[in-house]
Amino acid sequence: MSNELRCIGCGAVLQSEDPNQAGYVPKSSLNKEDVICKRCFRLKHYNEIQDVNMSSDDFLTMLNALSDREGIIVNVIDVFDFQGSWISGLKRIVGQKKVILAANKIDLLPKLINKNRVENWIKHLAKELGMKPEAVVLISAEKNQGIDELLEVIETERSGQDVYIVGTTNVGKSTLINKLIERSIGEKNVITTSHFPGTTLDLIDIPLGDGTFMYDTPGIIQSHQMTHYVTEDELKVIMPKEEIKPRNFQLNEGQTLFLGGLVRVDYISGGRRSLNCFVSNRLNIHRTKTVNAEDLWHRQIGELLTPPGNKEFDFSTLKRHTLSVKEQKQDIIISGLGFITVEEGAVIEVYAPKQVDVYLRPSIL
């Protein structure tokens, strides 16, 4: 017999160490009778869904258990970090299920951006990743943009079937679910939790009124995103919350940009040109000569160059990426942090924590 205490609402093992994991309760509540976790408490009293994190392997195992059930998938992606929020292996598991891409955080991109171009850009990248979505809907869950359009597309495509909403952590999935509940249900105490064979966590059921349900699934941890290598306070600095103000730097060869103290960008060759940075407005960008960069980084980490907020940065964890821009305009992606738009002919070296993906993609602009 296990001595584990479990939430009476969802069955998750109760713990008081990590508020972002399933089963969290404050220590003071652990010894009470009939304890429900923070997530279930918010559900029960406020109809508010809070995300919990799940490893990619566990998530795909869970989806596998649902693969023989009818329904459609709404995959929430971060338009600001498309590939970083892409769930690899999803298409193989969903099989013939229809997929709608809800591209969230459209409010972070400059207002003048061409939304038709962004939509086509997403379709193109999705096709390259092996998926042909039924529809791409640009939304901002935070700003309530595109929610009604998404609901209409879901209703059109589901043909009376269940709806499964999936996404990675920090993509805004829970905010979106709460908005969908608000729009489509508009009443309290309608949410239940269900456990399917093979799942490691209960799913949240939102009744759609015709005997079918919208299911919320846990957010998947993407270990290649910068967001998993910073503290909670640092996360608030690097995660954009408002429209990005692009910062344009005219660089000569032999100059360096620091994105806080987390990433170093050396401009190697290509003549004088601009590097247009799309990162959180709160993240400090510092320019220096490359010849001084190494010394500056070690001296000023945790001070001028923040985040990180301390001087204990482990420089041995860094990896150098050499990137040659060969198309007319490309974005250098630092997954979970942002991107830098550069024109053809530039050679750039990027130093970032080795777990974090750094790569080139066709420019979103």
Side-chain angles (χ1 to χ4, degrees):
M1 287 284 292
S2 169
N3 291 323
E4 289 176 336
L5 295 173
R6 291 184 176 268
C7 169
I8 62 168
C10 69
V13 176
L14 294 173
Q15 53 87 18
S16 56
E17 283 74 46
D18 189 346
N20 296 317
Q21 298 297 331
Y24 176 78
V25 290
K27 268 188 180 171
S28 57
S29 301
L30 269 177
N31 297 318
K32 294 179 181 175
E33 285 187 25
D34 297 337
V35 181
I36 62 173
C37 69
K38 179 184 173 187
R39 184 171 180 247
C40 287
F41 181 87
R42 302 295 300 181
L43 264 174
K44 181 178 179 181
H45 294 283
Y46 302 104
N47 255 15
E48 181 183 294
I49 287 181
Q50 295 183 318
D51 214 352
V52 294
N53 304 341
M54 180 181 272
S55 76
S56 184
D57 287 346
D58 285 342
F59 174 81
L60 293 175
T61 299
M62 182 192 76
L63 262 198
N64 239 339
L66 310 178
S67 59
D68 58 349
R69 297 174 63 91
E70 287 192 345
I72 69 167
I73 304 286
V74 176
N75 184 10
V76 187
I77 55 167
D78 184 343
V79 74
F80 192 64
D81 188 17
F82 180 89
Q83 284 100 323
S85 59
W86 187 262
I87 305 167
S88 59
L90 179 64
K91 180 57 183 170
R92 175 174 49 82
I93 284 178
V94 304
Q96 299 306 307
K97 286 186 177 70
K98 291 179 177 179
V99 177
I100 296 166
L101 288 183
N104 194 22
K105 305 188 184 180
I106 191 66
D107 57 301
L108 298 182
L109 296 177
K111 285 189 174 66
L112 294 176
I113 201 161
N114 184 319
K115 290 188 177 177
N116 285 334
R117 177 181 159 78
V118 174
E119 207 172 298
N120 290 329
W121 176 85
I122 289 170
K123 287 176 183 173
H124 173 73
L125 287 183
K127 186 179 177 183
E128 282 192 347
L129 292 163
M131 186 177 287
K132 189 178 179 184
E134 302 299 318
V136 172
V137 185
L138 304 180
I139 65 167
S140 167
E142 196 70 43
K143 297 288 197 307
N144 249 335
Q145 296 170 10
I147 306 299
D148 288 336
E149 184 188 345
L150 179 59
L151 275 170
E152 285 174 20
V153 172
I154 289 172
E155 200 52 44
T156 300
E157 297 295 343
R158 76 185 187 92
S159 303
Q161 297 181 16
D162 292 332
V163 180
Y164 299 93
I165 300 192
V166 304
T168 61
T169 54
N170 298 314
V171 80
K173 182 170 62 66
S174 295
T175 305
L176 172 61
I177 290 261
N178 290 328
K179 293 288 166 62
L180 291 175
I181 293 170
E182 199 179 292
R183 283 284 213 286
S184 59
I185 310 296
E187 54 187 89
K188 298 287 184 184
N189 304 317
V190 295
I191 301 168
T192 59
T193 59
S194 290
H195 194 82
F196 292 124
T199 63
T200 58
L201 185 79
D202 293 314
L203 306 183
I204 304 300
D205 310 5
I206 303 146
L208 294 172
D210 57 359
T212 60
F213 292 85
M214 183 183 293
Y215 292 99
D216 178 38
T217 62
I220 314 157
I221 297 169
Q222 300 280 62
S223 57
H224 56 257
Q225 290 182 302
M226 184 70 79
T227 45
H228 298 294
Y229 302 100
V230 295
T231 66
E232 197 169 323
D233 284 342
E234 290 163 0
L235 187 63
K236 292 172 186 172
V237 175
I238 71 169
M239 285 282 289
K241 289 293 183 188
E242 57 198 359
E243 182 187 343
I244 297 291
K245 305 297 181 193
R247 282 175 273 178
N248 194 300
F249 293 85
Q250 293 291 326
L251 293 191
N252 294 313
E253 296 171 3
Q255 289 190 299
T256 290
L257 294 179
F258 282 105
L259 307 182
L262 296 168
V263 174
R264 169 181 156 185
V265 180
D266 293 352
Y267 180 41
I268 305 300
S269 66
R272 183 171 173 81
R273 68 176 60 231
S274 64
L275 274 66
N276 212 2
C277 300
F278 293 80
V279 293
S280 167
N281 299 334
R282 296 182 62 194
L283 182 64
N284 181 41
I285 302 177
H286 182 78
R287 173 166 46 184
T288 189
K289 290 180 178 177
T290 303
V291 69
N292 301 327
E294 190 77 16
D295 178 59
L296 180 76
W297 208 357
H298 282 83
R299 280 191 300 105
Q300 292 291 344
I301 192 80
E303 293 182 13
L304 173 67
L305 306 177
T306 59
N310 61 63
K311 298 184 75 71
E312 305 304 313
F313 192 76
D314 185 357
F315 285 90
S316 69
T317 65
L318 296 170
K319 180 179 177 181
R320 182 178 67 182
H321 305 259
T322 302
L323 305 168
S324 298
V325 181
K326 292 178 179 171
E327 295 179 18
Q328 184 179 6
K329 191 182 280 188
Q330 288 186 288
D331 296 333
I332 298 170
I333 302 297
I334 299 118
S335 189
L337 189 69
F339 59 92
I340 302 171
T341 302
V342 191
E343 292 187 347
E344 185 180 9
V347 176
I348 289 170
E349 289 184 348
V350 177
Y351 295 80
K354 60 187 175 188
Q355 303 94 332
V356 174
D357 280 355
V358 176
Y359 54 91
L360 288 166
R361 72 172 185 200
S363 178
I364 193 172
L365 299 175

